[in-house]
Amino acid sequence: SANRITSSLPPRLGLASVPGGRRGSRSNRWRQGRAGGAMEAVLAQVAQLPALLAVSRSALVRDWDPATLGRALQWARYFQHLHDRCRGRPRLRDALGRRLRQGPRRLALLARRKAACRLLAPRRGSPGELEPPVGAEAGMLLCRLRDEGREAGERSRWLRGVLEQLPRPRAFEVVAAALLLLLRGGGGGGDSPGGDQASGAGDGCVAGPLLSWLLENLDRFSAFCVLLPGSLLASLAAHYSQLSRQYLDLLTGWGSHLLYDPLQGRWVKSCPDEAELSWEELRERFSCLCKGPVLLRGQTRAALKLLKARDGDFKVRGLSVWTDLLLEVEEDLRKE
């Protein structure tokens, strides 16, 4: 911490007592031993310089009290004094240089950790919006998944370990961004009859673990679909047939839990406390699917028509949620 780095002032080291003079005398050996101890102390102090520089260039300085700031300035004056004394002492300068070269490596590590912390910091944008840091994380994730040295099982285990370390909303956003990157030139394998652009040989080994992690657990996939906006989910469903099928099944389950409230004149949740979608949210999700590519639009409308027929094939509103959804979706399409 900053306080630990600046807590002790540099000692008044006798740099004038660098080893020198005749060898062999007892007093000279004693002076050399004392000077050697002083040199070790100087080197130990020099090792603190990279850490002090790293802390002084961070936001931590805003929290320094006057005493801590005073200690940091004394450290700075000490290192300036040390620099002035070493100008004419090549051996001492080389020794200190070697010790400092060991500490800039630690400074580089600190810089990488700082960058990682900023990258993994909680997002502050509007809900559902994928920010640039999320795209950067997704890109790094894809690079690691493309590692040729990983077997399929090892790749999946590694992915689970990484995603489980992230907060759930962040993990969902990173997975969605990674799947989108594959479609936008991040390694798509071309169109396939099933609609999976990323299912070719090139990136099937990358999209596969991502989709498996997402779809193998219904609660996880449900939370994923609740969190992300309908437009983004429609984009993914348009290109990943496995996801589109399970997404439609999920929307069907949520729609079946809506009840019509004649007093309010609208559809309401049967269990208000559960994480199911409201009528407005469900309508928006189906509308986004029907505004997608032709294949996805046809599949979605066919599913709604089949559900409407199974529910009695009513023509008026308020009797079947599927009738009302289909009418709303078709009205939205006519407005475009």
Side-chain angles (χ1 to χ4, degrees):
S1 66
N3 289 332
R4 180 174 61 82
I5 293 172
T6 61
S7 59
S8 59
L9 294 177
R12 296 184 178 275
L13 298 174
L15 296 182
S17 60
V18 175
R22 295 180 301 169
R23 298 187 180 184
S25 67
R26 182 175 181 182
S27 61
N28 192 36
R29 288 195 299 271
W30 178 82
R31 284 196 299 271
Q32 287 180 348
R34 185 177 180 183
M39 172 62 84
E40 287 300 319
V42 171
L43 293 175
Q45 301 294 346
V46 168
Q48 299 297 321
L49 178 58
L52 179 61
L53 290 175
V55 172
S56 66
R57 294 175 64 86
S58 72
L60 293 174
V61 296
R62 299 172 184 169
D63 300 325
W64 284 4
D65 55 25
T68 303
L69 180 60
R71 287 195 298 270
L73 292 175
Q74 285 183 280
W75 272 102
R77 286 191 291 269
Y78 169 73
F79 287 123
Q80 182 63 51
H81 172 71
L82 188 62
H83 175 268
D84 294 339
R85 296 296 299 273
C86 290
R87 281 181 179 176
R89 298 169 181 258
R91 293 179 60 188
L92 179 59
R93 188 174 63 245
D94 291 344
L96 293 176
R98 286 193 297 271
R99 182 60 63 95
L100 275 176
R101 281 191 293 274
Q102 295 174 1
R105 286 195 292 270
R106 291 192 292 271
L107 189 59
L109 178 61
L110 287 173
R112 289 196 296 271
R113 288 177 176 173
K114 181 179 179 181
C117 287
R118 288 187 175 181
L119 191 63
L120 299 176
R123 46 185 296 280
R124 297 180 176 85
S126 59
E129 181 183 351
L130 297 181
E131 295 184 342
V134 178
E137 284 183 76
M140 292 189 295
L141 188 68
L142 291 178
C143 287
R144 293 295 302 273
L145 283 173
R146 288 191 181 105
D147 184 359
E148 295 181 359
R150 295 184 182 275
E151 298 291 338
E154 181 185 356
R155 190 179 289 115
S156 296
R157 287 191 296 272
W158 176 85
L159 179 65
R160 287 190 181 93
V162 169
L163 295 177
E164 287 172 3
Q165 294 180 35
L166 295 175
R168 174 168 272 196
R170 189 71 166 188
F172 292 158
E173 291 171 346
V174 170
V175 170
L179 291 171
L180 287 176
L181 280 176
L182 291 175
L183 304 177
R184 294 173 181 173
D191 291 317
S192 65
D196 285 348
Q197 284 190 355
S199 62
D203 272 328
C205 61
V206 178
L210 291 168
L211 290 171
S212 295
W213 179 83
L214 194 59
L215 301 176
E216 67 188 4
N217 184 292
L218 183 58
D219 290 338
R220 180 187 299 152
F221 183 61
S222 175
F224 175 84
C225 294
V226 168
L227 174 73
L228 297 181
S231 57
L232 175 58
L233 292 167
S235 296
L236 295 175
H239 297 92
Y240 297 99
S241 58
Q242 302 160 266
L243 188 146
S244 67
R245 288 192 296 269
Q246 196 153 328
Y247 183 40
L248 275 174
D249 289 344
L250 190 63
L251 292 178
T252 300
W254 284 337
S256 65
H257 292 156
L258 292 178
L259 301 175
Y260 190 76
D261 187 339
L263 297 179
Q264 300 184 49
R266 64 187 186 92
W267 295 90
V268 297
K269 295 180 182 181
S270 58
C271 300
D273 296 333
E274 292 185 5
E276 298 173 353
L277 297 183
S278 65
W279 159 259
E280 293 77 14
E281 292 168 328
L282 193 67
R283 177 184 180 277
E284 185 263 344
R285 302 302 171 93
F286 274 108
S287 180
C288 287
L289 290 174
C290 287
K291 293 176 183 177
V294 176
L295 179 61
L296 182 64
R297 185 187 315 167
Q299 291 173 341
T300 305
R301 294 185 67 189
L304 283 174
K305 289 179 179 179
L306 179 61
L307 291 167
K308 172 178 174 287
R310 289 178 178 176
D311 213 21
D313 204 17
F314 297 104
K315 307 296 183 183
V316 296
R317 294 178 181 268
L319 298 177
S320 169
V321 66
W322 309 118
T323 296
D324 291 11
L325 278 171
L326 185 59
L327 292 174
E328 292 283 344
V329 165
E330 290 180 341
E331 183 179 343
D332 288 342
L333 292 176
R334 285 194 297 269
K335 291 178 181 178
E336 290 192 343

